[in-house]
Amino acid sequence: MAVESVRVTADVIEANEFPGLSDRYQVSGVPKIVINDKVELLGAQPEKRFLAAVIEATQERVDQ
Amino acid sequence: MAIISDGNADQVRTFFAEHVQEPVTVELFTQKRSLLTIPGQQECEYCEETESLLNEVVALSPNLSLAVHDLRADPHAGEADGITAEMVPSFVLHGQDRGKIRFLGIPAGYEFSTLIQDIASVSTGTTSLTPATRDALAQLPGDVHIRVFVTPT
């Protein structure tokens, strides 16, 4: 997604090496996906579900 | 001793030859080992290993290069990529990508194949996403920061 859109920054975070970040985002299982600090997904996601979550996160941010 | 086995190196070299035609720069943000041992100051556990691994990866294609920044010497080197001094080791892929792809921590285990795939996508500027997804991404109304937490196994 970050390859496709100038709007997207994608981080792959090794949870064990960054316990501070893992605590902050309450990572109890992997893969855990957090979008704009708001929408969370646990486990690998089908493309449609992932995209829906990305759009949801963007809209929430715009509505603020 | 090499981190990547000869067999894996051959596979990745072949994959890169086909899929990495345009240049990709891997920008590594690391922390060089201090000459002094200072109580309470933590050394970066995986910085050296990450640098070695990335050196081996970029050696597998003439279109790849590695730029190394020591955040101990220059804490602001990562500012353009949003990388702060405590985010070590981390690296960013620069090629034909429109957004930004960052890795925090060593890309070991399953994440190694993620890295290899991502390098190819960044080189070509294309992905295997469906046209509908690409259209939707092109029209995003705001910025998106996706964090994917993983473990090496």
Side-chain angles (χ1 to χ4, degrees), chain B residues 6-119:
Chain B
D6 288 347
N8 282 345
D10 285 343
Q11 276 186 350
V12 174
R13 194 180 289 113
T14 305
F15 178 80
F16 280 169
E18 191 176 336
H19 298 281
V20 179
Q21 307 287 339
E22 299 297 327
V24 175
T25 301
V26 181
E27 201 129 6
L28 171 67
F29 300 95
T30 186
Q31 193 182 75
K32 300 287 186 186
R33 196 166 286 277
S34 174
L35 297 174
L36 292 170
T37 305
I38 301 166
Q41 179 181 293
Q42 274 200 326
E43 286 296 341
C44 173
E45 196 178 349
Y46 290 99
C47 278
E48 286 178 2
E49 209 175 342
T50 301
E51 185 171 344
S52 302
L53 178 62
L54 292 177
N55 264 312
E56 290 182 27
V57 169
V58 300
L60 298 174
S61 165
N63 295 322
L64 299 179
S65 57
L66 177 66
V68 181
H69 304 278
D70 178 9
L71 292 186
R72 180 168 273 156
D74 182 3
H76 302 295
E79 259 170 20
D81 289 312
I83 303 288
T84 54
E86 68 278 4
M87 291 162 73
V88 288
S90 61
F91 57 95
V92 185
L93 306 179
H94 291 293
Q96 301 206 67
D97 47 327
R98 297 165 189 82
K100 204 186 285 284
I101 298 177
R102 315 188 301 181
F103 282 73
L104 279 71
I106 190 164
Y110 187 72
E111 293 321 305
F112 183 71
S113 48
T114 305
L115 169 63
I116 301 305
Q117 293 283 348
D118 282 1
I119 287 173

Side-chain angles (χ1 to χ4, degrees), chain A residues 1-18 21-22 24-25 27 29-37 47-48 50-51 54-55 57-59 61-62, chain B residues 46 86-89 96-106 111 121-122 125-130 132-134 136-137 140-152:
Chain A
M1 289 187 174
V3 170
E4 298 286 354
S5 172
V6 68
R7 294 280 200 183
V8 179
T9 296
D11 293 346
V12 178
I13 303 164
E14 208 288 280
N16 297 322
E17 281 177 65
F18 294 91
L21 275 177
S22 301
R24 182 173 150 204
Y25 291 101
V27 178
V30 291
K32 177 165 181 174
I33 301 159
V34 183
I35 308 166
N36 283 358
D37 293 356
E47 186 176 320
K48 271 192 176 172
F50 202 144
L51 178 65
V54 165
I55 290 170
T58 330
Q59 285 169 342
R61 177 162 283 197
V62 170
Chain B
Y46 290 99
E86 68 278 4
M87 291 162 73
V88 288
Q96 301 206 67
D97 47 327
R98 297 165 189 82
K100 204 186 285 284
I101 298 177
R102 315 188 301 181
F103 282 73
L104 279 71
I106 190 164
E111 293 321 305
S121 297
V122 168
T126 57
T127 63
S128 58
L129 295 170
T130 65
T133 300
R134 284 144 99 166
L137 289 172
L140 286 174
D143 291 339
V144 179
H145 189 172
I146 303 170
R147 291 181 173 87
V148 183
F149 289 89
V150 297
T151 53

